[in-house]
Amino acid sequence: MKGWNKVACITSLIGAAFCILNGSGAHILCFTQGCDLYKEYSLFGISFYSYGAAGFLTLLFLSLDKKFSKFLGASVATILLLDAFFLAYQYLFWPCTSCLFVALLLGIIALATLKGDPFKRKFLKPVFALWLIFFSFGSLAAAKEMFFKPWTIFGNENAPVKVYFSPTCASCEDVVLDLMTDPTRKEEIAFIPVAKSEEDEKRIARFLEQQCLQKDTDICDIFVEAETFETLSLPDKFKVWSNKIQLAQKGVTTVPTIISPYPIKSAPSSFQSGINSYFSPAEPNFDGCSPFANQDSCEE
């Protein structure tokens, strides 16, 4: 057996085992929301992991049996093309790390096959190029979800209600003050800061310093003008930047923005809406700030 054929066989075996284990509920390499969603997907009542296992076992058989090895290139190209469409779907909706691992194994098999019969390269190369584009986009989307997570500066990070705000936004201060009229809500709301200016960063840095010096801090203190010269550390800058990326990913361009699974009765009237709604200062009489540009009108 040639070296490239051995690579295809071993990789196919790993892929089949991975799909069988995950199809049985192992949840290996599941780090994104897409993993939980796609595990329930099926076609004609058959799990996608079952199709994946069958595909890898087919490639393993074709790699081992010389009689049918001539069909290996066409089979790899077909499976790779189907996977490219699924990767495109993930990019548009939710990336899945376990699915990306399966795709990576298919890519390795394709590369190994390209090293074999030159005839296979003619039709496999363009399919591989298309697959590589979608695999790259899917990987970037998964990386963004894994590494750029929202950072909570006050409250419970697992709270159902998420409040994105800027420390120099007057509308943000009004909303936060209104929501914090009841101190017991601290565990129900996650306050997530974004910085549109250097003053924002100073106020966030000062608030973090206050949190280190005293246990009981008030989120409203973050809206007071910074008279000292604290600066955010690089890790904290990355966290604040991640919050801004989260807003952009949701298509939100202004703060304050409240993301809630249920209506918040005591919030301003412009924020009251239905279930699973994005709340943003869209009302003409309720101005907001853009965290993506320094707006003088937002400064106190």
Side-chain angles (χ1 to χ4, degrees), residues 196-197 244 289-296 298:
K196 68 175 183 59
S197 65
K244 191 177 291 188
C289 302
S290 171
F292 303 99
N294 196 341
Q295 294 178 322
D296 294 336
C298 289

Side-chain angles (χ1 to χ4, degrees), residues 100-122:
L100 285 168
F101 180 72
V102 170
L104 176 63
L105 294 178
L106 289 174
I108 293 173
I109 295 173
L111 286 174
T113 306
L114 285 169
K115 291 289 184 181
D117 187 351
F119 175 74
K120 299 170 184 173
R121 301 174 192 172
K122 294 181 181 179

Side-chain angles (χ1 to χ4, degrees), residues 34-109:
C35 297
D36 293 328
L37 291 170
Y38 299 139
K39 69 181 180 183
E40 305 295 336
Y41 278 33
S42 63
L43 182 63
F44 305 118
I46 301 174
S47 167
F48 274 79
Y49 277 120
S50 298
Y51 285 112
F56 279 117
L57 289 175
T58 299
L59 296 180
L60 176 63
F61 173 76
L62 295 177
S63 300
L64 288 172
D65 197 318
K66 294 182 179 179
K67 296 180 182 178
F68 301 100
S69 60
K70 59 183 178 180
F71 300 110
L72 180 61
S75 299
V76 172
T78 302
I79 294 175
L80 210 62
L81 186 61
L82 292 173
D83 190 57
F85 284 113
F86 188 42
L87 289 171
Y89 180 89
Q90 290 183 53
Y91 174 72
L92 293 173
F93 293 94
W94 305 276
C96 167
T97 48
S98 61
C99 304
L100 285 168
F101 180 72
V102 170
L104 176 63
L105 294 178
L106 289 174
I108 293 173
I109 295 173

Side-chain angles (χ1 to χ4, degrees), residues 194-242:
V194 293
K196 68 175 183 59
S197 65
E198 186 178 352
E199 176 64 21
D200 275 319
E201 293 189 359
K202 286 181 180 179
R203 296 186 186 189
I204 295 171
R206 183 199 56 203
F207 186 80
L208 291 174
E209 184 67 22
Q210 289 176 345
Q211 283 184 322
C212 292
L213 296 176
Q214 59 188 55
K215 292 183 179 179
D216 296 327
T217 53
D218 188 347
I219 184 60
C220 299
D221 294 339
I222 203 171
F223 296 102
V224 179
E225 185 175 356
E227 297 179 355
T228 53
F229 296 95
E230 288 95 345
T231 57
L232 282 175
S233 64
L234 286 177
D236 289 334
K237 279 180 177 287
F238 179 79
K239 293 175 183 177
V240 174
W241 191 47
S242 296

